[in-house]
Amino acid sequence: MVKRLNFLDLDFFTVLESILNVSSRRNESIEKKVFSIIENIKEHGDSALIEYNKKFDNCYFSAKEMLVSKNEIENAKKNVSKKVISALKSAKDRITSYHESQLPKDDFYYDDKGIGLGHRWTSISSVGIYVPGGMAVYPSSVLMNSVPAKVANVERLVMVVPAPNGYVDPVILACADIVGIEEIYKIGGAQAIAALAYGTESIKPVDKIVGPGNSYVATAKKIVFGKVGIDAFAGPSEILVVADSFSNPEWIAIDLLSQSEHDPEARSILICESNEFANNVEEKIVYFLEKLSRADIAKKSWENNGLIIVAKEINNVGPIIDKIAPEHLQLSIENPKDLLENFKNAGSIFLGRNSPEALGDYIAGPNHVLPTSGTSRFASGLTVLDFLKRSSLIESTNNSLRALSQDALTIAECEGLTAHALSISIRLENK
């Protein structure tokens, strides 16, 4: 049976924290390998990329062939059904509409001293998007990472995707075409992140890198952060489902498995009101595991990382939610909005029994790139703002400068910065 905790146990939070901390340990072996890969790309550029493609993906592209051609995109589109194309376009339109509502406005005003103050927003010039291409095909990752960048008016979008045995799934290329991504490279892993960050003979560097990947990709993004921006230090996917006794155990079971099937390291947690309900859910999980195409992955994830918490008073689980700070939070209870006042930490919140997390993964509209590993304590999901920069604006006349000068000079002198003080006072001297 999967691990089970009772909220009434005196050591509940101590045990919970020990469980949550297991997946957050550093892997120094991976860090060392990734650092070596990055240094090799920095030094040898395209030739290193070609060798890593051979070594890790068994594909033999020249530097020129790494770039996806227009013919490859057109051929890919012919091999994707009209039904899939239509669904992807529908998702793109919904994601676009939601993210357009996030666009901020420039502002400028004059305060009571006559100082002009405000800010303006400008887009990041270039963004690299990493799309996984190993264990599964994720066109939704193409949409979620590129659409808000397009809405923000990013000038250059570059997509990288692994090509195992030289093959990129046509749906990925078709989806990129739907969004309008024209620069696509058949490279993956830490080497792709390094190429985006530092550039090679064939690939110009970008200003920011977004998109999910395995532990090597995530580690590479950590290492290059500072040279470029990144979206987040992402860990394995996770879901916390809060269910009362009126919920359908079958629905809850498959909701939990919807995250478990992502990755053996994914984590699914259930909070429910009784051991009886927990037992029913576990029975349904066993039933569904026999029917999933990725049953081996889901089973390993559930057995190793799954957790059930029994809390008799479902309205009192706010502190548990805040402690876990889940990437996805599904409130499968009566009056879910009433519970919102009791916690702060969650990446994306699904309200009610008919709001499965999978809806948010694909078509609802909000972004599915979310803070993992408890980072929703201080971070948010990907938005248009992640592809924009805000510059403050300050305008002063001689009169408004004079009105603020004494306090500014006092602070400058306090800090011992003579030039700072002089740069103000020199403008106030009588000619």
Side-chain angles (χ1 to χ4, degrees):
M1 291 180 64
V2 75
K3 299 181 187 73
R4 192 177 296 193
L5 300 179
N6 193 308
F7 187 31
L8 296 178
D9 291 344
L10 294 177
D11 61 347
F12 171 79
F13 282 106
T14 301
V15 176
L16 177 61
E17 184 169 9
S18 67
I19 292 173
L20 297 176
N21 284 343
V22 169
S23 62
S24 63
R25 294 171 183 165
R26 286 179 57 193
N27 190 320
E28 294 183 359
S29 174
I30 289 180
E31 289 181 356
K32 186 176 181 179
K33 293 176 183 176
V34 169
F35 185 81
S36 175
I37 290 171
I38 292 173
E39 291 300 306
N40 196 18
I41 295 295
K42 288 167 64 177
E43 184 174 354
H44 300 291
D46 283 347
S47 62
L49 275 180
I50 291 169
E51 289 304 313
Y52 285 129
N53 262 350
K54 294 177 183 178
K55 179 178 180 179
F56 296 125
D57 288 326
N58 192 37
C59 57
Y60 296 80
F61 298 128
S62 65
K64 184 177 180 180
E65 290 169 332
M66 287 189 293
L67 177 66
V68 175
S69 67
K70 291 183 178 179
N71 285 338
E72 286 179 282
I73 293 176
E74 290 303 314
N75 289 332
K77 288 160 60 178
K78 295 175 184 177
N79 288 292
V80 180
S81 71
K82 292 182 179 179
K83 182 179 180 181
V84 171
I85 293 293
S86 177
L88 292 174
K89 287 181 177 179
S90 176
K92 182 233 177 185
D93 289 344
R94 290 190 59 84
I95 297 165
T96 298
S97 177
Y98 179 85
H99 287 78
E100 283 177 342
S101 71
Q102 300 174 337
L103 282 169
K105 295 181 179 180
D106 294 349
D107 187 33
F108 194 83
Y109 67 95
Y110 290 95
D111 67 12
D112 60 353
K113 302 295 185 184
I115 297 285
L117 301 171
H119 58 260
R120 70 164 187 157
W121 294 88
T122 55
S123 60
I124 294 174
S125 297
S126 58
V127 171
I129 299 169
Y130 188 94
V131 177
M135 298 176 67
V137 179
Y138 295 114
S140 59
S141 286
V142 179
L143 294 173
M144 294 293 182
N145 285 281
S146 62
V147 169
K150 281 286 186 179
V151 171
N153 201 30
V154 172
E155 296 174 13
R156 175 176 171 242
L157 278 181
V158 186
M159 190 176 92
V160 294
V161 56
N165 299 310
Y167 175 80
V168 177
D169 195 288
V171 74
I172 295 297
L173 299 182
C175 190
D177 183 70
I178 288 171
V179 178
I181 304 174
E182 298 179 348
E183 189 177 348
I184 307 169
Y185 296 94
K186 293 171 281 190
I187 54 175
Q191 60 272 23
I193 300 300
L196 290 173
Y198 294 97
T200 69
E201 298 92 328
S202 300
I203 304 173
K204 294 181 181 179
V206 298
D207 298 314
K208 188 167 188 174
I209 302 173
V210 300
N214 61 21
S215 56
Y216 286 82
V217 171
T219 301
K221 287 167 68 177
K222 285 186 180 182
I223 292 174
V224 302
F225 176 61
K227 171 63 177 176
V228 294
I230 65 171
D231 49 354
F233 301 146
S237 188
E238 60 201 32
I239 188 171
L240 170 59
V241 178
V242 180
D244 58 26
S245 296
F246 296 100
S247 295
N248 187 324
E250 285 191 349
W251 295 10
I252 302 304
I254 201 65
D255 290 341
L256 292 166
L257 290 176
S258 71
Q259 291 305 299
S260 297
E261 71 177 353
H262 267 300
D263 186 288
E265 300 303 317
R267 165 162 282 154
S268 299
I269 301 176
L270 169 64
I271 299 178
C272 60
E273 294 179 309
S274 69
N275 282 302
E276 180 182 2
F277 185 86
N279 292 339
N280 290 336
V281 170
E282 285 207 81
E283 288 178 8
K284 298 302 180 183
I285 285 177
V286 172
Y287 168 79
F288 282 120
L289 277 174
E290 297 179 358
K291 302 179 179 300
L292 301 181
S293 59
R294 292 162 65 88
D296 290 344
I297 293 172
K299 183 178 182 181
K300 185 175 181 180
S301 168
W302 175 246
E303 291 181 350
N304 292 345
N305 304 313
L307 176 64
I308 295 176
I309 298 170
V310 177
K312 290 184 178 181
E313 296 294 334
I314 213 72
N315 291 329
N316 295 335
V317 301
I320 307 177
I321 295 172
D322 275 338
K323 184 65 178 179
I324 297 171
E327 176 188 14
H328 306 101
L329 173 62
Q330 194 170 301
L331 300 179
S332 297
I333 59 176
E334 290 290 331
N335 304 315
K337 292 180 181 177
D338 292 345
L339 192 57
L340 292 177
E341 299 178 357
N342 299 338
F343 67 89
K344 296 180 178 180
N345 304 335
S348 189
I349 305 169
F350 298 82
L351 303 169
R353 307 189 205 284
N354 289 296
S355 304
E357 184 277 330
L359 190 69
D361 275 348
Y362 301 124
I363 197 100
N367 212 290
H368 78 196
V369 179
L370 300 164
T372 61
S373 305
T375 56
S376 66
R377 293 177 292 109
F378 54 81
S380 307
L382 198 69
T383 72
V384 166
L385 299 183
D386 290 289
F387 300 97
L388 296 170
K389 305 170 279 99
R390 186 182 69 250
S391 302
S392 57
L393 302 173
I394 303 169
E395 179 188 50
S396 178
T397 65
N398 184 268
N399 287 336
S400 57
L401 176 64
R402 190 176 298 276
L404 297 180
S405 62
Q406 288 306 312
D407 287 339
L409 290 171
T410 297
I411 295 172
E413 291 166 0
C414 178
E415 293 184 347
L417 299 178
T418 310
H420 278 63
L422 188 58
S423 74
I424 295 173
S425 63
I426 199 172
R427 287 171 165 78
L428 304 178
E429 294 176 359
N430 292 323
K431 295 182 180 180

